[in-house]
Amino acid sequence: MRVIGVLGGMSWESTQSYYRALNEGVKAALGGFHSAKIVMVSVDFAEIETLQQQGDWIAAGDLLASAAKRIERAGADCLLIATNTMHKVAPAIELAIDIPLLHIADATAERLKADGVTRVGLLGTRFTMEQDFYTGRLKKQFGIEVVLPDQVERDAIHRVIFEELCQGRLEEASRQRYLTIIDSLYTQGAQAVILGCTEIAMLVSQADTAVPLYDTTALHAQKAVAWALA
């Protein structure tokens, strides 16, 4: 079994979901007392969030690249960035390490393609929804068209992520707002919706809606488990 490196803490609320999913995945595959071999560095999200708001992606990339190098030195064989948004700086991180980075958008797109989904809705932070690093990758590398919520909806999604989910708060009113937005994306022609922030699956699950949902945390972890056990 190869060692999975996890760059977490963005936020720690979702990083614990990664830890559980990785260990449950290995146990399901191997049985008994088996669990995942993991090396993790968890950063202080306050530092990252400040750089996000300042738009200083270079400094954020440098900070995370340094953490990634510590993970590699500790013996990891691959790297997961346990957040969608900070894949914005994935190229800078990849340049800093010699181990493969398993990209969260690739893990999601591969499952979408396997399921025949070519037009998908996306929920995430404002950065993930509005910048090209995520939606562009889905379109250019996998031919998947992305349908986005409107501006008011994007603002609401972003606010809930930072003011509630990253703080460990799960509000029923926010769940219903997200479900309304999911229904709207489906009405606009999305065949499914990506939960493109690693905290969103804490609030909304497939049990809440008939619209197919793709949980990026779960899919990312599944790809890492398959890679570690290959």
Side-chain angles (χ1 to χ4, degrees):
M1 186 193 313
R2 291 185 280 190
V3 179
I4 301 169
V6 178
L7 180 48
M10 300 167 283
S11 65
W12 71 262
E13 296 283 351
S14 62
T15 300
Q16 65 180 339
S17 299
Y18 267 90
Y19 188 75
R20 176 181 294 276
L22 291 169
N23 282 294
E24 288 180 342
V26 169
K27 181 177 177 60
L30 300 181
F33 293 106
H34 285 289
S35 57
K37 294 182 178 180
I38 299 171
V39 171
M40 182 185 296
V41 169
S42 187
V43 300
D44 180 0
F45 187 42
E47 298 174 2
I48 299 297
E49 192 272 339
T50 297
L51 294 172
Q52 288 176 343
Q53 298 306 322
Q54 293 172 345
D56 195 346
W57 299 103
I58 293 176
D62 289 344
L63 192 158
L64 294 186
S66 177
K69 286 190 283 188
R70 294 202 302 275
I71 292 170
E72 182 176 24
R73 288 196 299 269
D77 296 309
C78 73
L79 180 70
L80 303 184
I81 307 171
T83 162
N84 285 272
T85 297
M86 295 315 295
H87 278 75
K88 163 84 172 176
V89 299
I93 294 172
E94 287 182 295
L95 285 173
I97 57 178
D98 294 319
I99 57 176
L101 186 151
L102 306 185
H103 200 290
I104 196 168
D106 295 352
T108 305
E110 288 162 7
R111 182 63 62 83
L112 289 167
K113 291 281 283 186
D115 291 347
V117 176
T118 58
R119 182 176 169 86
V120 68
L122 174 64
L123 307 184
T125 66
R126 184 181 299 114
F127 314 113
T128 300
M129 291 186 289
E130 296 179 356
Q131 299 184 22
D132 189 59
F133 70 92
Y134 198 95
T135 58
R137 192 177 184 99
L138 294 179
K139 179 66 174 177
K140 295 169 189 173
Q141 296 194 23
F142 297 93
I144 297 172
E145 183 181 354
V146 178
V147 182
L148 295 177
D150 65 30
Q151 184 65 62
V152 172
E153 292 169 333
R154 294 199 300 272
D155 289 345
I157 293 164
H158 184 90
R159 182 195 62 77
V160 168
I161 290 169
F162 280 90
E163 295 182 12
E164 298 176 16
L165 302 183
C166 288
Q167 307 292 333
R169 290 173 50 206
L170 303 178
E171 302 288 347
E172 182 59 29
S174 297
R175 187 194 321 277
Q176 293 305 319
R177 183 68 189 279
Y178 271 45
L179 292 172
T180 298
I181 294 170
I182 288 168
D183 286 341
S184 175
L185 292 171
Y186 187 72
T187 300
Q188 294 173 59
Q191 298 163 274
V193 173
I194 297 171
L195 305 184
C197 173
T198 51
E199 284 85 12
I200 293 178
M202 296 161 47
L203 182 68
V204 175
S205 73
Q206 191 62 73
D208 297 317
T209 178
V211 179
L213 302 180
Y214 285 75
D215 174 4
T216 54
T217 300
L219 294 171
H220 204 196
Q222 289 166 16
K223 183 177 180 67
V225 169
W227 188 91
L229 299 179

